[in-house]
Structures are given as C-alpha cells and as structure tokens.
Amino acid sequence: MIIMAKTSPVIEDRINKSQKLKNMGISLYPAGFQTGIMVSDAVARFGQMDSEALENESKVFSMAGRIMARRDFGKASFIHIKDTTGRIQAYIRKDKISDEEFETFKLMDIGDFVGITGSFFRTRTGELTILAKDISLLSKSLRPLPEKWHGLTDVESRYRQRYLDLIVNDSVKELFVMRSRIIQAIRHFFIKKDFLEVETPMMQPIPGGATARPFKTFHNALGMELYLRVAPELYLKRLVVGGLEKVFEINRNFRNEGISVKHNPEFTMLEFYMTYATYKDLMGLTEALFNHVVTKIFGSNVIKYQGETIDFTPPWPRISLFDALRDIGGVKDDVLNNREYAAGFANECQISLSDADVHGQILMKLFDHLVEPKLIRPTFITGYPTEISPLSRRNDENPEITDRFELFIGGKEIANAFTELNDPVDQRQRFEDQSALRKAGDEEAQFMDEDYLTAMEYGMPPTAGEGIGIDRVIMLMTDSASIRDVILFPIMRSR
RNA sequence: GGGCCGUUAGCUCAGCUAGGUAGAGCAGCGGACUUUUAAUCCGUUGGUCGUGAGUUCAAUUCUCGCACGGCCCA
C-alpha cells in the first residue's frame, strides 16, 4: 500500500506512531468535537483572574486546537495549542488523565489536532493554562511543521504552501484577516449608501472595459471562444441602462500581462457606478470611502507605508495630468504638446516605445516613470487625453481631454474613474479608433462591442463610475511591498 | 525578454573564495525529569548538496545549459 508519495525518516516515525495508535483502537481522524471555549474567549474571561480566583472557578471547559509546541517532563508535559483565535498552554499530567489517554498523548506530535477538557489555572510563572482532565486526538499530522523559532521564511514555499505560512507565521494570518476586514468595510460603505452589489460575467465573448490583453478560453458545448474579463465595466454599465442606478461589484479581473510586485494575472477589483454623478462627485466619495475604511481599521487617518507616512485626511490634491508632468515630472511644454518631442524625450529617458504609441500613450509612459513614484500622499490626477480614454466623457471645455481622474497613493495607481461616455455616437467612433489601433498592432486596444452600443443607444443616464484595485489598497494598509504578499495563492510556475 | 542573487537534512542556515563526496541549531528517536515556556541534561538517527552535461585521478565546491524562486530593469 502506498502511504505517501514521498517520505522521510521524520515522516516514517509519524506513520509508525499512527500504526501504534490504531493498534490501541484510537481513531486518527474522528468526526467533530464539541468545543466549549475558544482561546481568545478563555483569555478574555480568565486572563485577568489571579490564581485563587481561578481555583474557585472550578468549571470545566473543552478546547480544540493544533499542537504547536511540546515540553515533556516524564510524567507531565506542557504543550501549546493554537486555534484560529490564538495560542494557549495546556498542562498534561499523568495523574490527572487516564492511562490510555496518557499513552495516546505520548504518541502525539507537534502539528496534531487535540481536544482537551479541563479547568484553567495559573502556572508558577503566571501563564494561564488549561489543566487537562481529558485529552483526545482529533487529527494526526504526518508531516513535521517548519521550525518553531524561524518559522517558514523561504518565499517560494510560503507562496506554494500558503497553509504552512498561515500556520507558523502569525503575522501572515493577521494580514489576511485584515484583508478580509478591509473588504468588508468597503462593502459596508457602499451598502450603507444604497449601492446594490451585483455579479457580472467573468467569461465574456468580447473582453472590454480596460486597455489590457485578455486570456482566451473555449466553451466546448457552445463551440465558442470566450475571454476572461479584463474588467466588468461594460456589463455594469448595461445594468445602469437597465435602471440599476447605483451598483458595485468586487471580484476578480484577469490580464494576460507581466507579473511584478504590483501585478498578478488575476487580481481583485472594485467597480462602482452612480447615476447622475460626475467624476468630481466620485472624488469626494473616494475620499469618504478611504477615510471610512482607514479609520475603521486603524482608528486613525494616518498610516505608514514602506517608511512613508500617508495621511488620508481630505481634501486630497487634485492636479491635472499636464500640470503633474510639468511640475512634478519636470517635462517641458513642447513634450506635452507634440508627439515627436514626446517620443524623443521618452527615448532620452530610456523608456521603450512602440511605433503605434499615440501621443497620449507616450505621455502616460512618461507619467508612470517620472511622476507616479512621487505621488505618495493620496492625489487625484485629472484631465486624461481622450485618445487614451475610450469610455470616458469628453470635457465640455476641451474635447481633447476627458472628465476622468486616476488616484495615486504610495506611488501606486489605486483607482481610475470618470464620468461615463453615454453618447452612443461618440462611443461608436471611439471604438472604431480603438479598432484602428488594434489593426496597427496594439494588442491592448479595446474591441468594438456592438451589443454594448445597442444598450447605450436605448439611453444611458448621466453616470460616473470608478474602479479601485483592491490588492493594492490591501498592500498600502498592510505595509506590503509585493502584491504576492496580499494574495493568498499568487500565481506560480508549476513545478 | 535582460541583469544580479539564490536553491545543501522536515525547517533555519554554515561549508564553496584557494576541488579530496558534508556540518550546526531546531524538529525527530532513545534515556532522566510532575510548574515548563527557544525547558534542561546525556546519547543518537537523518542528505541522490535543484537538475543535466563538461573539466579533473577526484566536483556540494570550478565551467556551461536547464528548472524553480527573489530583486531590479524592459
């Protein structure tokens, strides 16, 4: 019988112990356990009581958890067990439990799950401890956990075997708990404001809503090519046409592009749409959102990120793209006004361009290099060129730019928002311009979407919409340098 | 795609510069120990040194390719 694909002497020992336990009639994997109290509850309830008070409180509780440490003394032993709320010490004495239980306990290892029933007391050194009256095996672990002192530090193992990372590195678990709480706070903010949470297709016949290369797949029964979505935008706006005036979606987008400390092929995006609002309204809403979340999580408007202090107190600076390029990036006016000058300057900065890049795309590359890393405090950049904003409404004063902003925090792009283009004739022209770019070799250019145009032709109310990169928000709020540290299972090459 | 760095016991790491087939700590195993907490004390097991070639009498060590990972650049 094959027990495991690969063993080692340490694993052989555990298999032998498992056999001994089986021979004793002990189940290695019993079903369920009645837990009476969690570690954090025990600490909250008894943590402040002195020894005498604890002795008078002779009540018996059941706890369950994974054995994380073990110190044996012949006829007694201290162990630490860990549940999802924390760690607590247990004291196992031969004279307090049955002989069979003590024999079972001797065959238990670090990593095993145990159920303990007993009463709390305080040790000589003052640690709150449960004295076992009963102990039972709840699940046998066949593999040794990483070392107790250094934990698991190998980055590759931490990502590939995130469960081990979570078991032994408490800060990692805390980070992902915080991630969940931040997303809850965001969701709560929108629900409070009467937004409706919806789910739109992740498999789309035409990938739209963002300038990005999609993943392609195939539906066998339909005999149909499909794309994983690069954004939910065009579907959410169909819902706006349908009369859902305030909608939001928090879910995964997929972009078939490079991987970096800021990019994972699948990432979590929040998008929301608000009828009768403009991009300016969304700036205020965004300030309110971040203040709600940061205050809720940190109890303060100020956080630390990679050694920088970031203050979320509104109002945040609002700078036009051109002003930012000139004043922060040190870009000259002729670069701003002329594609050839811009291309020449980009070459000087050793930024690689493609021949198909339009002036706006070159300016964005300059911006990414010269300005973005400097935008530490939350900053709205406005006035993006129309030619790189195919879904945004033109500005009334200057049709060459759009009613759009991007939000930067901690030197990273965090959000993108605009007053939606709801003129179907203009939208058709923009799609055609994008198609031309695609034909010219720009694989990121957007696809013509007739079905979306049809929806818009029925009439889309004035609307503003925004997308926020949730993983990057989590990076900021957990002081993480890499997006892989805030995604439970980041993409990895298979081995 | 390019540059640099890494891959040695279950985990954390030495060893490689100046080639002679491996060490430590923790974990494990055996023994002592009924208030320890990185428990302590005595003894001890465990490795195709990521992978494939090359150079050499001899390669974990030098050279090259490949795989996986990290950082930076594109």
PDB file of all heavy atoms in Angstrom, chain A residues 65-71 78-83 86-91 110-112 114 116 127-129, chain B residues 36-37 39:
ATOM      1  N   GLY A  65      -7.494  22.414  19.263  1.00  0.00           N
ATOM      2  CA  GLY A  65      -6.506  23.183  18.504  1.00  0.00           C
ATOM      3  C   GLY A  65      -5.367  22.301  18.040  1.00  0.00           C
ATOM      4  O   GLY A  65      -5.351  21.091  18.280  1.00  0.00           O
ATOM      5  N   ARG A  66      -4.436  22.953  17.356  1.00  0.00           N
ATOM      6  CA  ARG A  66      -3.270  22.248  16.843  1.00  0.00           C
ATOM      7  C   ARG A  66      -2.121  22.392  17.837  1.00  0.00           C
ATOM      8  O   ARG A  66      -1.877  23.488  18.345  1.00  0.00           O
ATOM      9  CB  ARG A  66      -2.864  22.845  15.495  1.00  0.00           C
ATOM     10  CG  ARG A  66      -1.847  22.018  14.739  1.00  0.00           C
ATOM     11  CD  ARG A  66      -1.240  22.745  13.569  1.00  0.00           C
ATOM     12  NE  ARG A  66      -2.067  22.869  12.389  1.00  0.00           N
ATOM     13  CZ  ARG A  66      -2.119  21.952  11.403  1.00  0.00           C
ATOM     14  NH1 ARG A  66      -1.419  20.846  11.491  1.00  0.00           N
ATOM     15  NH2 ARG A  66      -2.872  22.151  10.350  1.00  0.00           N
ATOM     16  N   ILE A  67      -1.420  21.301  18.101  1.00  0.00           N
ATOM     17  CA  ILE A  67      -0.260  21.349  19.000  1.00  0.00           C
ATOM     18  C   ILE A  67       0.874  22.093  18.287  1.00  0.00           C
ATOM     19  O   ILE A  67       1.284  21.708  17.197  1.00  0.00           O
ATOM     20  CB  ILE A  67       0.221  19.935  19.382  1.00  0.00           C
ATOM     21  CG1 ILE A  67      -0.891  19.173  20.117  1.00  0.00           C
ATOM     22  CG2 ILE A  67       1.479  20.020  20.253  1.00  0.00           C
ATOM     23  CD1 ILE A  67      -0.520  17.726  20.448  1.00  0.00           C
ATOM     24  N   MET A  68       1.348  23.171  18.900  1.00  0.00           N
ATOM     25  CA  MET A  68       2.390  23.994  18.279  1.00  0.00           C
ATOM     26  C   MET A  68       3.729  23.857  19.002  1.00  0.00           C
ATOM     27  O   MET A  68       4.775  24.198  18.447  1.00  0.00           O
ATOM     28  CB  MET A  68       1.977  25.465  18.273  1.00  0.00           C
ATOM     29  CG  MET A  68       0.741  25.745  17.448  1.00  0.00           C
ATOM     30  SD  MET A  68       0.900  25.215  15.719  1.00  0.00           S
ATOM     31  CE  MET A  68       2.119  26.389  15.123  1.00  0.00           C
ATOM     32  N   ALA A  69       3.708  23.419  20.256  1.00  0.00           N
ATOM     33  CA  ALA A  69       4.952  23.258  20.999  1.00  0.00           C
ATOM     34  C   ALA A  69       4.708  22.216  22.083  1.00  0.00           C
ATOM     35  O   ALA A  69       3.571  21.992  22.495  1.00  0.00           O
ATOM     36  CB  ALA A  69       5.380  24.576  21.632  1.00  0.00           C
ATOM     37  N   ARG A  70       5.798  21.581  22.521  1.00  0.00           N
ATOM     38  CA  ARG A  70       5.633  20.487  23.466  1.00  0.00           C
ATOM     39  C   ARG A  70       6.889  20.423  24.325  1.00  0.00           C
ATOM     40  O   ARG A  70       8.007  20.430  23.821  1.00  0.00           O
ATOM     41  CB  ARG A  70       5.450  19.215  22.641  1.00  0.00           C
ATOM     42  CG  ARG A  70       5.469  17.976  23.436  1.00  0.00           C
ATOM     43  CD  ARG A  70       5.033  16.769  22.644  1.00  0.00           C
ATOM     44  NE  ARG A  70       4.954  15.714  23.631  1.00  0.00           N
ATOM     45  CZ  ARG A  70       4.172  14.665  23.576  1.00  0.00           C
ATOM     46  NH1 ARG A  70       3.429  14.482  22.528  1.00  0.00           N
ATOM     47  NH2 ARG A  70       4.160  13.798  24.539  1.00  0.00           N
ATOM     48  N   ARG A  71       6.696  20.383  25.647  1.00  0.00           N
ATOM     49  CA  ARG A  71       7.822  20.274  26.575  1.00  0.00           C
ATOM     50  C   ARG A  71       7.505  19.161  27.558  1.00  0.00           C
ATOM     51  O   ARG A  71       6.608  19.291  28.383  1.00  0.00           O
ATOM     52  CB  ARG A  71       8.038  21.608  27.318  1.00  0.00           C
ATOM     53  CG  ARG A  71       8.484  22.747  26.412  1.00  0.00           C
ATOM     54  CD  ARG A  71       8.591  24.062  27.135  1.00  0.00           C
ATOM     55  NE  ARG A  71       7.287  24.601  27.502  1.00  0.00           N
ATOM     56  CZ  ARG A  71       6.494  25.277  26.663  1.00  0.00           C
ATOM     57  NH1 ARG A  71       6.860  25.501  25.423  1.00  0.00           N
ATOM     58  NH2 ARG A  71       5.326  25.718  27.073  1.00  0.00           N
ATOM     59  N   PHE A  78       3.997  20.100  29.146  1.00  0.00           N
ATOM     60  CA  PHE A  78       3.329  21.343  28.740  1.00  0.00           C
ATOM     61  C   PHE A  78       3.253  21.366  27.215  1.00  0.00           C
ATOM     62  O   PHE A  78       4.231  21.042  26.549  1.00  0.00           O
ATOM     63  CB  PHE A  78       4.129  22.561  29.195  1.00  0.00           C
ATOM     64  CG  PHE A  78       4.062  22.806  30.676  1.00  0.00           C
ATOM     65  CD1 PHE A  78       5.060  22.344  31.526  1.00  0.00           C
ATOM     66  CD2 PHE A  78       2.985  23.489  31.217  1.00  0.00           C
ATOM     67  CE1 PHE A  78       4.992  22.565  32.885  1.00  0.00           C
ATOM     68  CE2 PHE A  78       2.915  23.727  32.586  1.00  0.00           C
ATOM     69  CZ  PHE A  78       3.923  23.257  33.421  1.00  0.00           C
ATOM     70  N   ILE A  79       2.110  21.729  26.711  1.00  0.00           N
ATOM     71  CA  ILE A  79       2.010  21.921  25.265  1.00  0.00           C
ATOM     72  C   ILE A  79       1.334  23.269  25.010  1.00  0.00           C
ATOM     73  O   ILE A  79       0.673  23.814  25.892  1.00  0.00           O
ATOM     74  CB  ILE A  79       1.189  20.804  24.569  1.00  0.00           C
ATOM     75  CG1 ILE A  79      -0.255  20.797  25.062  1.00  0.00           C
ATOM     76  CG2 ILE A  79       1.844  19.460  24.766  1.00  0.00           C
ATOM     77  CD1 ILE A  79      -1.135  19.803  24.334  1.00  0.00           C
ATOM     78  N   HIS A  80       1.578  23.807  23.837  1.00  0.00           N
ATOM     79  CA  HIS A  80       0.797  24.966  23.400  1.00  0.00           C
ATOM     80  C   HIS A  80      -0.123  24.502  22.295  1.00  0.00           C
ATOM     81  O   HIS A  80       0.313  23.788  21.386  1.00  0.00           O
ATOM     82  CB  HIS A  80       1.700  26.097  22.895  1.00  0.00           C
ATOM     83  CG  HIS A  80       2.083  27.056  23.973  1.00  0.00           C
ATOM     84  ND1 HIS A  80       3.258  26.947  24.681  1.00  0.00           N
ATOM     85  CD2 HIS A  80       1.421  28.120  24.501  1.00  0.00           C
ATOM     86  CE1 HIS A  80       3.315  27.917  25.593  1.00  0.00           C
ATOM     87  NE2 HIS A  80       2.211  28.647  25.507  1.00  0.00           N
ATOM     88  N   ILE A  81      -1.390  24.872  22.409  1.00  0.00           N
ATOM     89  CA  ILE A  81      -2.301  24.571  21.314  1.00  0.00           C
ATOM     90  C   ILE A  81      -2.773  25.888  20.720  1.00  0.00           C
ATOM     91  O   ILE A  81      -2.806  26.921  21.381  1.00  0.00           O
ATOM     92  CB  ILE A  81      -3.496  23.692  21.737  1.00  0.00           C
ATOM     93  CG1 ILE A  81      -4.385  24.408  22.745  1.00  0.00           C
ATOM     94  CG2 ILE A  81      -3.018  22.359  22.272  1.00  0.00           C
ATOM     95  CD1 ILE A  81      -5.708  23.698  22.958  1.00  0.00           C
ATOM     96  N   LYS A  82      -3.117  25.810  19.454  1.00  0.00           N
ATOM     97  CA  LYS A  82      -3.461  27.016  18.703  1.00  0.00           C
ATOM     98  C   LYS A  82      -4.789  26.799  18.010  1.00  0.00           C
ATOM     99  O   LYS A  82      -4.973  25.800  17.314  1.00  0.00           O
ATOM    100  CB  LYS A  82      -2.354  27.251  17.675  1.00  0.00           C
ATOM    101  CG  LYS A  82      -2.577  28.445  16.788  1.00  0.00           C
ATOM    102  CD  LYS A  82      -1.485  28.494  15.742  1.00  0.00           C
ATOM    103  CE  LYS A  82      -1.656  29.717  14.879  1.00  0.00           C
ATOM    104  NZ  LYS A  82      -0.658  29.789  13.836  1.00  0.00           N
ATOM    105  N   ASP A  83      -5.710  27.731  18.219  1.00  0.00           N
ATOM    106  CA  ASP A  83      -6.902  27.733  17.381  1.00  0.00           C
ATOM    107  C   ASP A  83      -6.905  29.029  16.585  1.00  0.00           C
ATOM    108  O   ASP A  83      -5.948  29.799  16.636  1.00  0.00           O
ATOM    109  CB  ASP A  83      -8.192  27.521  18.212  1.00  0.00           C
ATOM    110  CG  ASP A  83      -8.548  28.693  19.118  1.00  0.00           C
ATOM    111  OD1 ASP A  83      -8.017  29.806  18.911  1.00  0.00           O
ATOM    112  OD2 ASP A  83      -9.362  28.498  20.044  1.00  0.00           O
ATOM    113  N   GLY A  86      -6.011  32.173  18.708  1.00  0.00           N
ATOM    114  CA  GLY A  86      -4.769  32.382  19.453  1.00  0.00           C
ATOM    115  C   GLY A  86      -4.163  31.088  19.979  1.00  0.00           C
ATOM    116  O   GLY A  86      -4.567  29.995  19.585  1.00  0.00           O
ATOM    117  N   ARG A  87      -3.184  31.260  20.860  1.00  0.00           N
ATOM    118  CA  ARG A  87      -2.483  30.119  21.450  1.00  0.00           C
ATOM    119  C   ARG A  87      -2.703  30.099  22.948  1.00  0.00           C
ATOM    120  O   ARG A  87      -2.767  31.158  23.581  1.00  0.00           O
ATOM    121  CB  ARG A  87      -0.972  30.240  21.252  1.00  0.00           C
ATOM    122  CG  ARG A  87      -0.489  30.028  19.877  1.00  0.00           C
ATOM    123  CD  ARG A  87       0.961  30.441  19.793  1.00  0.00           C
ATOM    124  NE  ARG A  87       1.307  30.666  18.390  1.00  0.00           N
ATOM    125  CZ  ARG A  87       2.213  29.936  17.720  1.00  0.00           C
ATOM    126  NH1 ARG A  87       2.897  29.008  18.337  1.00  0.00           N
ATOM    127  NH2 ARG A  87       2.443  30.163  16.455  1.00  0.00           N
ATOM    128  N   ILE A  88      -2.757  28.903  23.497  1.00  0.00           N
ATOM    129  CA  ILE A  88      -2.850  28.794  24.952  1.00  0.00           C
ATOM    130  C   ILE A  88      -2.082  27.552  25.395  1.00  0.00           C
ATOM    131  O   ILE A  88      -1.945  26.595  24.625  1.00  0.00           O
ATOM    132  CB  ILE A  88      -4.321  28.743  25.416  1.00  0.00           C
ATOM    133  CG1 ILE A  88      -4.412  29.022  26.919  1.00  0.00           C
ATOM    134  CG2 ILE A  88      -4.968  27.403  25.052  1.00  0.00           C
ATOM    135  CD1 ILE A  88      -5.796  29.404  27.379  1.00  0.00           C
ATOM    136  N   GLN A  89      -1.570  27.612  26.619  1.00  0.00           N
ATOM    137  CA  GLN A  89      -0.812  26.479  27.131  1.00  0.00           C
ATOM    138  C   GLN A  89      -1.750  25.471  27.786  1.00  0.00           C
ATOM    139  O   GLN A  89      -2.750  25.843  28.400  1.00  0.00           O
ATOM    140  CB  GLN A  89       0.210  26.979  28.147  1.00  0.00           C
ATOM    141  CG  GLN A  89       1.092  25.863  28.700  1.00  0.00           C
ATOM    142  CD  GLN A  89       2.282  26.407  29.477  1.00  0.00           C
ATOM    143  OE1 GLN A  89       3.391  26.464  28.982  1.00  0.00           O
ATOM    144  NE2 GLN A  89       2.026  26.808  30.710  1.00  0.00           N
ATOM    145  N   ALA A  90      -1.397  24.209  27.634  1.00  0.00           N
ATOM    146  CA  ALA A  90      -2.133  23.153  28.340  1.00  0.00           C
ATOM    147  C   ALA A  90      -1.119  22.341  29.140  1.00  0.00           C
ATOM    148  O   ALA A  90       0.034  22.191  28.738  1.00  0.00           O
ATOM    149  CB  ALA A  90      -2.867  22.256  27.349  1.00  0.00           C
ATOM    150  N   TYR A  91      -1.548  21.858  30.279  1.00  0.00           N
ATOM    151  CA  TYR A  91      -0.691  21.070  31.153  1.00  0.00           C
ATOM    152  C   TYR A  91      -1.278  19.674  31.233  1.00  0.00           C
ATOM    153  O   TYR A  91      -2.452  19.500  31.604  1.00  0.00           O
ATOM    154  CB  TYR A  91      -0.658  21.731  32.540  1.00  0.00           C
ATOM    155  CG  TYR A  91       0.340  21.140  33.520  1.00  0.00           C
ATOM    156  CD1 TYR A  91       1.539  20.578  33.096  1.00  0.00           C
ATOM    157  CD2 TYR A  91       0.078  21.179  34.886  1.00  0.00           C
ATOM    158  CE1 TYR A  91       2.446  20.069  34.010  1.00  0.00           C
ATOM    159  CE2 TYR A  91       0.984  20.684  35.815  1.00  0.00           C
ATOM    160  CZ  TYR A  91       2.175  20.121  35.370  1.00  0.00           C
ATOM    161  OH  TYR A  91       3.073  19.619  36.273  1.00  0.00           O
ATOM    162  N   ILE A 110       3.831  17.499  17.513  1.00  0.00           N
ATOM    163  CA  ILE A 110       3.567  18.872  17.103  1.00  0.00           C
ATOM    164  C   ILE A 110       2.903  18.815  15.730  1.00  0.00           C
ATOM    165  O   ILE A 110       3.374  18.111  14.840  1.00  0.00           O
ATOM    166  CB  ILE A 110       4.885  19.679  17.056  1.00  0.00           C
ATOM    167  CG1 ILE A 110       5.408  19.877  18.480  1.00  0.00           C
ATOM    168  CG2 ILE A 110       4.677  21.020  16.358  1.00  0.00           C
ATOM    169  CD1 ILE A 110       6.793  20.477  18.546  1.00  0.00           C
ATOM    170  N   GLY A 111       1.811  19.545  15.606  1.00  0.00           N
ATOM    171  CA  GLY A 111       1.077  19.527  14.348  1.00  0.00           C
ATOM    172  C   GLY A 111      -0.243  18.779  14.440  1.00  0.00           C
ATOM    173  O   GLY A 111      -1.147  19.020  13.655  1.00  0.00           O
ATOM    174  N   ASP A 112      -0.329  17.849  15.411  1.00  0.00           N
ATOM    175  CA  ASP A 112      -1.590  17.124  15.596  1.00  0.00           C
ATOM    176  C   ASP A 112      -2.658  18.056  16.165  1.00  0.00           C
ATOM    177  O   ASP A 112      -2.348  19.001  16.893  1.00  0.00           O
ATOM    178  CB  ASP A 112      -1.401  15.968  16.603  1.00  0.00           C
ATOM    179  CG  ASP A 112      -0.533  14.848  16.046  1.00  0.00           C
ATOM    180  OD1 ASP A 112      -0.123  14.933  14.884  1.00  0.00           O
ATOM    181  OD2 ASP A 112      -0.269  13.893  16.809  1.00  0.00           O
ATOM    182  N   VAL A 114      -5.724  18.362  18.794  1.00  0.00           N
ATOM    183  CA  VAL A 114      -6.181  17.696  20.010  1.00  0.00           C
ATOM    184  C   VAL A 114      -7.408  18.399  20.565  1.00  0.00           C
ATOM    185  O   VAL A 114      -7.612  19.584  20.347  1.00  0.00           O
ATOM    186  CB  VAL A 114      -5.121  17.712  21.141  1.00  0.00           C
ATOM    187  CG1 VAL A 114      -4.037  16.718  20.872  1.00  0.00           C
ATOM    188  CG2 VAL A 114      -4.575  19.098  21.378  1.00  0.00           C
ATOM    189  N   ILE A 116      -9.086  19.055  24.310  1.00  0.00           N
ATOM    190  CA  ILE A 116      -8.731  18.991  25.727  1.00  0.00           C
ATOM    191  C   ILE A 116      -9.903  19.483  26.545  1.00  0.00           C
ATOM    192  O   ILE A 116     -10.510  20.508  26.228  1.00  0.00           O
ATOM    193  CB  ILE A 116      -7.490  19.854  26.020  1.00  0.00           C
ATOM    194  CG1 ILE A 116      -6.250  19.235  25.374  1.00  0.00           C
ATOM    195  CG2 ILE A 116      -7.283  20.018  27.529  1.00  0.00           C
ATOM    196  CD1 ILE A 116      -5.004  20.092  25.452  1.00  0.00           C
ATOM    197  N   GLU A 127       1.435  31.974  33.733  1.00  0.00           N
ATOM    198  CA  GLU A 127       0.745  31.807  32.450  1.00  0.00           C
ATOM    199  C   GLU A 127      -0.574  31.069  32.620  1.00  0.00           C
ATOM    200  O   GLU A 127      -0.643  30.024  33.271  1.00  0.00           O
ATOM    201  CB  GLU A 127       1.644  31.043  31.471  1.00  0.00           C
ATOM    202  CG  GLU A 127       0.968  30.869  30.114  1.00  0.00           C
ATOM    203  CD  GLU A 127       1.931  30.481  29.009  1.00  0.00           C
ATOM    204  OE1 GLU A 127       3.144  30.604  29.224  1.00  0.00           O
ATOM    205  OE2 GLU A 127       1.453  30.060  27.948  1.00  0.00           O
ATOM    206  N   LEU A 128      -1.602  31.646  32.000  1.00  0.00           N
ATOM    207  CA  LEU A 128      -2.916  30.997  32.015  1.00  0.00           C
ATOM    208  C   LEU A 128      -2.819  29.678  31.260  1.00  0.00           C
ATOM    209  O   LEU A 128      -2.343  29.636  30.129  1.00  0.00           O
ATOM    210  CB  LEU A 128      -3.956  31.907  31.354  1.00  0.00           C
ATOM    211  CG  LEU A 128      -5.389  31.369  31.347  1.00  0.00           C
ATOM    212  CD1 LEU A 128      -5.949  31.307  32.764  1.00  0.00           C
ATOM    213  CD2 LEU A 128      -6.275  32.200  30.438  1.00  0.00           C
ATOM    214  N   THR A 129      -3.249  28.603  31.911  1.00  0.00           N
ATOM    215  CA  THR A 129      -3.039  27.257  31.384  1.00  0.00           C
ATOM    216  C   THR A 129      -4.251  26.401  31.672  1.00  0.00           C
ATOM    217  O   THR A 129      -4.885  26.540  32.726  1.00  0.00           O
ATOM    218  CB  THR A 129      -1.791  26.624  32.050  1.00  0.00           C
ATOM    219  OG1 THR A 129      -0.655  27.465  31.816  1.00  0.00           O
ATOM    220  CG2 THR A 129      -1.502  25.237  31.527  1.00  0.00           C
TER     221      THR A 129
ATOM    222  P     U B  36       9.259  25.882  36.326  1.00  0.00           P
ATOM    223  OP1   U B  36      10.111  25.058  37.193  1.00  0.00           O
ATOM    224  OP2   U B  36       9.014  27.303  36.639  1.00  0.00           O
ATOM    225  O5'   U B  36       9.783  25.815  34.840  1.00  0.00           O
ATOM    226  C5'   U B  36      10.430  24.653  34.351  1.00  0.00           C
ATOM    227  C4'   U B  36       9.967  24.375  32.944  1.00  0.00           C
ATOM    228  O4'   U B  36       8.575  24.004  32.949  1.00  0.00           O
ATOM    229  C3'   U B  36      10.025  25.562  32.004  1.00  0.00           C
ATOM    230  O3'   U B  36      11.324  25.775  31.503  1.00  0.00           O
ATOM    231  C2'   U B  36       9.051  25.127  30.915  1.00  0.00           C
ATOM    232  O2'   U B  36       9.645  24.191  30.055  1.00  0.00           O
ATOM    233  C1'   U B  36       7.976  24.424  31.731  1.00  0.00           C
ATOM    234  N1    U B  36       6.830  25.288  32.031  1.00  0.00           N
ATOM    235  C2    U B  36       5.922  25.490  31.013  1.00  0.00           C
ATOM    236  O2    U B  36       6.060  24.996  29.910  1.00  0.00           O
ATOM    237  N3    U B  36       4.865  26.281  31.321  1.00  0.00           N
ATOM    238  C4    U B  36       4.618  26.887  32.528  1.00  0.00           C
ATOM    239  O4    U B  36       3.610  27.576  32.664  1.00  0.00           O
ATOM    240  C5    U B  36       5.599  26.631  33.544  1.00  0.00           C
ATOM    241  C6    U B  36       6.652  25.856  33.265  1.00  0.00           C
ATOM    242  P     U B  37      11.827  27.298  31.155  1.00  0.00           P
ATOM    243  OP1   U B  37      13.209  27.193  30.681  1.00  0.00           O
ATOM    244  OP2   U B  37      11.489  28.190  32.281  1.00  0.00           O
ATOM    245  O5'   U B  37      10.905  27.720  29.937  1.00  0.00           O
ATOM    246  C5'   U B  37      11.052  27.076  28.674  1.00  0.00           C
ATOM    247  C4'   U B  37       9.927  27.508  27.773  1.00  0.00           C
ATOM    248  O4'   U B  37       8.667  27.192  28.366  1.00  0.00           O
ATOM    249  C3'   U B  37       9.857  29.008  27.536  1.00  0.00           C
ATOM    250  O3'   U B  37      10.730  29.331  26.484  1.00  0.00           O
ATOM    251  C2'   U B  37       8.394  29.211  27.152  1.00  0.00           C
ATOM    252  O2'   U B  37       8.163  28.900  25.795  1.00  0.00           O
ATOM    253  C1'   U B  37       7.701  28.143  28.004  1.00  0.00           C
ATOM    254  N1    U B  37       7.089  28.687  29.226  1.00  0.00           N
ATOM    255  C2    U B  37       5.786  29.176  29.116  1.00  0.00           C
ATOM    256  O2    U B  37       5.170  29.167  28.072  1.00  0.00           O
ATOM    257  N3    U B  37       5.257  29.654  30.280  1.00  0.00           N
ATOM    258  C4    U B  37       5.866  29.689  31.507  1.00  0.00           C
ATOM    259  O4    U B  37       5.260  30.146  32.470  1.00  0.00           O
ATOM    260  C5    U B  37       7.212  29.170  31.531  1.00  0.00           C
ATOM    261  C6    U B  37       7.760  28.701  30.413  1.00  0.00           C
ATOM    262  P     A B  39      10.847  25.518  23.804  1.00  0.00           P
ATOM    263  OP1   A B  39      11.055  24.247  23.103  1.00  0.00           O
ATOM    264  OP2   A B  39       9.533  26.137  23.877  1.00  0.00           O
ATOM    265  O5'   A B  39      11.370  25.373  25.323  1.00  0.00           O
ATOM    266  C5'   A B  39      12.444  24.527  25.603  1.00  0.00           C
ATOM    267  C4'   A B  39      12.944  24.848  26.982  1.00  0.00           C
ATOM    268  O4'   A B  39      12.004  24.322  27.972  1.00  0.00           O
ATOM    269  C3'   A B  39      14.260  24.182  27.358  1.00  0.00           C
ATOM    270  O3'   A B  39      15.366  24.910  26.826  1.00  0.00           O
ATOM    271  C2'   A B  39      14.194  24.237  28.872  1.00  0.00           C
ATOM    272  O2'   A B  39      14.437  25.547  29.362  1.00  0.00           O
ATOM    273  C1'   A B  39      12.711  23.895  29.108  1.00  0.00           C
ATOM    274  N9    A B  39      12.512  22.449  29.257  1.00  0.00           N
ATOM    275  C8    A B  39      11.932  21.571  28.378  1.00  0.00           C
ATOM    276  N7    A B  39      11.888  20.344  28.808  1.00  0.00           N
ATOM    277  C5    A B  39      12.479  20.417  30.050  1.00  0.00           C
ATOM    278  C6    A B  39      12.734  19.436  31.038  1.00  0.00           C
ATOM    279  N6    A B  39      12.406  18.159  30.898  1.00  0.00           N
ATOM    280  N1    A B  39      13.345  19.843  32.176  1.00  0.00           N
ATOM    281  C2    A B  39      13.658  21.133  32.308  1.00  0.00           C
ATOM    282  N3    A B  39      13.468  22.145  31.458  1.00  0.00           N
ATOM    283  C4    A B  39      12.863  21.704  30.346  1.00  0.00           C
TER     284        A B  39
END
